Amino acid sequence: MASTPFEESADYVQSLARGLRVLRAFDRELASPSLSELAERTQLSRAVVRRSLLTLQHLGYVGSRGRSFFLTPRVLELGYSYLTSLDLTELAQQSLEQLSQRVGESCSMAVLDGSDIVYVLRVPVRRVMSMALGVGARLPAFAASMGRVILADLPEAELAAWLRGQKFRAYTPQTIRTASALKAELQRVRQQGYALTSRELEPGLCSIAVPIRAGDGRVVAALNIGMPYSDEAPARAVKQMLPALHEAQHAIEQAIRHRGWLPHMAMRSAYD
């Protein structure tokens, strides 16, 4: 993993960075890993992983069972602190619920975090992906409709920096997998004001998303409707779902302006 100039400075706390890397290594696929599995995933030595785990266990964020380790509910405090500081979720909750009831499909809100989008609100109706999606779930921004409407708002220099840090992966044969193809798609998203993805993350998924802008005009989040794929789904998404999305978008943005809410710096892309 290439280092950055800051990582070589005296202000960089290497032990903290390593501890967070260990903490982030836990996921659905590796829910109760062994020390060796964590060392392999994090590309850290067993000794470093062991010290990190013992520290996290002492602080109450990790538990152990035999040779396996697991996250404790205390890790939710970290995400909850962010969500409680994110007034945007309060402003959007009612509109999201009304949107889901109106269209009969799952609706979500997400923000950009580095290479991924992170779900900050979700009203599920049915499961449309093999992985469980909920608050805190992450998806690759380049292949997700919500990621694309946020990326489309980035200034050219920031988008170029973002693209340089990406590793494109073909999740399905339909996935856009090159920087040039993504740039062309983002230009289309800017012009039409929404993003539509069809079978790019999973074969059975279609999603349409619109941006959410703060009072200063900057895109701070995205709102989407996800639905099972069918031959008619893309046309249905544009003709039936998009007008409902626009109404929810307008209601949320109106609430933002009325409240005078402006985004925290934490919500901005890592490349701002």
Side-chain angles (χ1 to χ4, degrees):
M1 188 175 294
S3 63
T4 64
F6 178 74
E7 291 174 358
E8 298 168 359
S9 74
D11 292 323
Y12 184 73
V13 183
Q14 188 179 66
S15 57
L16 175 60
R18 288 174 170 174
L20 290 173
R21 193 190 304 183
V22 170
L23 202 59
R24 292 197 301 269
F26 291 83
D27 60 17
R28 184 182 179 86
E29 296 177 357
L30 207 62
S32 298
S34 65
L35 191 153
S36 297
E37 289 173 325
L38 285 168
E40 181 178 357
R41 173 165 285 196
T42 60
Q43 298 182 326
L44 296 172
S45 70
R46 286 171 55 93
V48 167
V49 172
R50 178 179 177 274
R51 289 197 297 271
S52 296
L53 285 170
L54 290 176
T55 301
L56 290 167
Q57 188 171 10
H58 173 73
L59 295 173
Y61 293 106
V62 167
S64 63
R65 186 182 298 111
R67 295 186 177 182
S68 298
F69 297 86
F70 56 89
L71 298 180
T72 71
R74 190 166 192 176
V75 299
L76 296 174
E77 293 177 356
L78 303 176
Y80 185 72
S81 297
Y82 171 73
L83 289 175
T84 54
S85 69
L86 191 64
D87 295 338
L88 178 59
T89 56
E90 295 181 13
L91 296 174
Q93 181 72 49
Q94 184 176 359
S95 294
L96 200 70
E97 291 174 353
Q98 291 174 345
L99 174 63
S100 181
Q101 291 173 2
R102 176 178 174 181
V103 301
E105 300 288 356
S106 299
C107 302
S108 309
M109 177 178 284
V111 298
L112 183 66
D113 181 30
S115 297
D116 300 330
I117 56 167
V118 180
Y119 282 67
V120 295
L121 273 179
R122 181 162 170 79
V123 180
V125 172
R126 61 172 67 90
R127 188 165 173 172
V128 293
M129 292 190 69
S130 60
M131 68 173 289
L133 291 178
V135 172
R138 306 176 74 93
L139 291 177
F142 79 90
S145 62
M146 288 192 285
R148 289 179 185 173
V149 292
I150 300 175
L151 291 173
D153 185 64
L154 292 181
E156 288 299 322
E158 292 178 19
L159 178 60
W162 189 90
L163 288 169
R164 285 195 295 271
Q166 302 312 299
K167 293 182 179 180
F168 293 93
R169 169 185 167 188
Y171 291 89
T172 73
Q174 285 74 33
T175 306
I176 289 178
R177 65 198 74 177
T178 66
S180 59
L182 180 61
K183 287 180 69 175
E185 178 61 22
L186 293 180
Q187 180 59 35
R188 185 178 302 110
V189 170
R190 290 189 197 100
Q191 293 173 348
Q192 64 191 17
Y194 68 89
L196 176 68
T197 57
S198 181
R199 299 178 293 167
E200 292 197 48
L201 278 171
E202 289 199 359
L205 174 66
C206 181
S207 174
I208 188 166
V210 295
I212 298 296
R213 296 182 182 275
D216 60 3
R218 179 156 49 91
V219 172
V220 293
L223 186 69
N224 94 324
I225 298 173
M227 66 202 81
Y229 175 79
S230 66
D231 291 342
E232 298 79 21
R236 176 172 172 255
V238 175
K239 292 180 180 179
Q240 298 179 21
M241 303 297 172
L242 187 58
L245 261 179
H246 280 153
E247 287 189 22
Q249 173 193 41
H250 176 72
I252 294 170
E253 291 179 345
Q254 193 172 43
I256 287 173
R257 289 191 295 270
H258 178 73
R259 185 76 67 89
W261 181 87
L262 287 175
H264 299 298
M265 291 299 295
M267 284 190 61
R268 303 191 69 179
S269 161
Y271 295 92
D272 277 10

